[in-house]
Amino acid sequence: MKSQLGSCLKFLETSKPYFAMISLQFGYAGMNIITKVSLNRGMSHYVLVVYRHAIATAVIAPFAFIFERRAQPRITFPIFLQLFVLGLLGPVIDQNFYYAGLKFTSPTFSCAMSNMLPAMTFVMAVIFRMEKLDLKKVRCQAKLIGTAVTVAGAMLMTLYKGPIIEMVWSKHAHSGKSDTTETTGTNDKDWFKGSILLIIATLAWASLFVLQTKALKTYKNHQLSLTSLVCFIGTIQAIAVTFVMEHKASVWRIGWDMNLLAAAYAGIVTSSISYYVQGLVIKKKGPVFATAFSPLMMIIVAIMGSFILAEQIFLGSIVGSVLIVIGLYSVLWGKHKEKMESVSDEDIPDPVKGVQGNGNSIEDIEANEIDLQKAEANKNNNFSSMAINIPMPMTMQELKASQEPKA
């Protein structure tokens, strides 16, 4: 009984990262569906970005103050510039372009395009020399081929729609709609425009990851503080952008409706809880494990969108999504092999190098051995020169004399 309980607890412990990432994909999928409904009802995506990151700042900042208020990094001008650019790339450019692309396309299509993120991050890392590319190695070939396949899938989804793939549960919902609006030139133009906006959003997201790598060196032990500062600065920037793009005061009006739900859900679930859960999973299982679950969100959104929104799925979207997923896992496989090789290289000592792991050169080690030999020789000499007093046995006369009584 005790062994069964122990095995059950062990299974639950090992399954936590899997349950966490699967639950997180459902959270992301819900955000896409709720946001799509809110945008279709006329909410400005500029205002949605402001409310989303304002709520995220209000949620994350208290935890950062409680757990990370000590030894805060000093905000110099270069660090402030990094935070400013991070806020501009993430909350402003990425989210605004993503929501605009989501408005013109569909949740499934948007999720599929966001799977280009690992490939775009890899390309930017190579450009900025953060990633080495050796075409002689299989892992580098896998990353390069995966990137090309991912881009091909995205281009296919952008330029080709194809016939509609009818789902069994959504055929009745689609039958009541006119197909003329789905195939007009204006709709195709909006679909192409949305694809371009989603590509720009994913590019901004990849740039955010590249720049965040440098910022995390400063905020290594203050990740909640970094997230709070980026969300706060991004909120201020998003307010400025909204004042420029939206000139009506009525766009800021929000009540107890779907608009408030979309802002609160996106701010709490996808900008607060997701950061914490992803951090725990990446810390325990690595970034490859966490990123590998992203295609699951696309499948969940496709099913939920078909049920809730009566979303129509095209053949080009399906074929392009398959190519993007294949390219994604090819890139992740190459990154995994690279990580395994780097770990094995750290474990094996290099006899060719003159400097050892503790910083001592070979000449220093030889000199230390000579000193040890001299110390051993001096020790032996001192030991041999010590006087050893051993009592000698007494003779018979001395023994009798010692036994006679003294007068």
Side-chain angles (χ1 to χ4, degrees):
M1 183 67 181
K2 187 179 292 186
S3 60
Q4 292 179 355
L5 182 61
S7 60
C8 183
L9 292 175
K10 186 178 180 180
F11 172 76
L12 292 176
E13 185 67 25
T14 55
S15 301
K16 281 183 180 179
Y18 296 91
F19 290 137
M21 291 308 302
I22 292 174
S23 302
L24 201 60
Q25 300 312 311
F26 276 96
Y28 278 124
M31 186 272 295
N32 280 273
I33 299 297
I34 295 174
T35 303
K36 178 65 175 178
V37 173
S38 177
L39 293 175
N40 287 344
R41 293 187 176 183
M43 185 178 187
S44 171
H45 61 84
Y46 298 105
V47 177
L48 178 59
V49 169
V50 173
Y51 286 142
R52 168 180 176 173
H53 290 91
I55 294 173
T57 305
V59 172
I60 300 175
F63 292 97
F65 177 76
I66 294 173
F67 298 107
E68 298 178 353
R69 64 178 181 271
R70 297 181 179 178
Q72 282 283 338
R74 183 181 177 184
I75 301 179
T76 59
F77 181 75
I79 294 177
F80 174 77
L81 192 61
Q82 291 179 10
L83 296 174
F84 184 86
V85 177
L86 285 173
L88 189 65
L89 288 173
V92 178
I93 298 178
D94 172 36
Q95 295 300 321
N96 276 302
F97 277 87
Y98 183 83
Y99 285 150
L102 176 64
K103 187 176 182 179
F104 286 126
T105 57
S106 66
T108 304
F109 187 88
S110 302
C111 292
M113 294 294 283
S114 64
N115 284 331
M116 294 176 60
L117 177 65
M120 283 191 174
T121 307
F122 169 69
V123 171
M124 296 193 67
V126 172
I127 294 174
F128 290 101
R129 296 184 179 181
M130 299 175 63
E131 190 90 17
K132 294 181 180 180
L133 188 62
D134 188 3
L135 296 179
K136 295 180 180 179
K137 296 185 178 180
V138 179
R139 56 178 176 81
C140 294
Q141 295 175 3
K143 290 190 290 185
L144 188 62
I145 295 174
T147 303
V149 173
T150 302
V151 174
M155 294 301 295
L156 180 64
M157 293 181 67
T158 304
L159 302 176
Y160 175 71
K161 292 178 67 174
I164 298 175
I165 305 300
E166 291 285 354
M167 301 295 178
V168 177
W169 56 81
S170 61
K171 186 175 295 185
H172 178 71
H174 292 163
S175 61
K177 294 186 176 182
S178 177
D179 293 334
T180 58
T181 58
E182 300 294 335
T183 57
T184 57
T186 304
N187 186 268
D188 292 337
K189 186 184 295 184
D190 290 342
W191 193 273
F192 180 79
K193 187 191 300 183
S195 303
I196 300 300
L197 292 174
L198 290 172
I199 291 175
I200 296 174
T202 309
L203 184 62
W205 198 4
S207 304
L208 176 71
F209 273 91
V210 173
L211 183 60
Q212 193 176 14
T213 304
K214 187 174 182 180
L216 282 173
K217 294 180 181 179
T218 305
Y219 289 89
K220 184 178 180 180
N221 300 321
H222 300 81
Q223 296 181 9
L224 288 174
S225 302
L226 176 62
T227 305
S228 302
L229 290 171
V230 171
C231 289
F232 176 71
I233 295 174
T235 303
I236 297 176
Q237 293 173 342
I239 292 174
V241 172
T242 306
F243 276 127
V244 174
M245 302 302 297
E246 300 286 353
H247 303 286
K248 295 180 180 179
S250 59
V251 298
W252 294 94
R253 190 177 303 152
I254 190 171
W256 296 95
D257 52 9
M258 183 61 69
N259 296 341
L260 178 61
L261 177 61
Y265 186 95
I268 296 173
V269 176
T270 60
S271 293
S272 300
I273 298 177
S274 64
Y275 290 149
Y276 179 72
V277 174
Q278 280 183 349
L280 293 178
V281 174
I282 290 174
K283 187 176 180 180
K284 187 173 183 179
K285 304 289 289 187
V288 176
F289 180 87
T291 317
F293 284 83
S294 58
L296 181 62
M297 176 181 61
M298 180 180 63
I299 300 173
I300 298 172
V301 169
I303 297 175
M304 292 177 63
S306 185
F307 270 111
I308 300 173
L309 302 177
E311 178 185 341
Q312 292 182 341
I313 301 175
F314 298 93
L315 179 62
S317 299
I318 294 178
V319 178
S321 301
V322 172
L323 290 177
I324 288 176
V325 171
I326 293 173
L328 168 68
Y329 279 107
S330 179
V331 174
L332 294 178
W333 182 84
K335 291 293 295 180
H336 176 69
K337 287 295 181 182
E338 182 180 15
K339 183 179 179 181
M340 296 300 294
E341 289 182 8
S342 63
V343 171
S344 61
D345 290 340
E346 290 176 0
D347 294 339
I348 301 174
D350 193 355
V352 180
K353 295 181 180 180
V355 178
Q356 302 299 316
N358 55 3
N360 296 328
S361 62
I362 295 177
E363 290 80 5
D364 295 335
I365 295 174
E366 292 177 350
N368 292 335
E369 290 179 354
I370 294 174
D371 293 338
L372 289 174
Q373 291 176 359
K374 290 181 179 179
E376 289 290 337
N378 293 332
K379 183 178 179 180
N380 293 332
N381 292 334
N382 293 334
F383 180 76
S384 61
S385 60
M386 291 173 60
I388 303 175
N389 297 322
I390 301 176
M392 299 298 292
M394 292 185 295
T395 59
M396 293 298 295
Q397 291 81 4
E398 292 174 346
L399 182 60
K400 289 180 179 181
S402 63
Q403 292 178 353
E404 291 178 356
K406 294 182 180 181

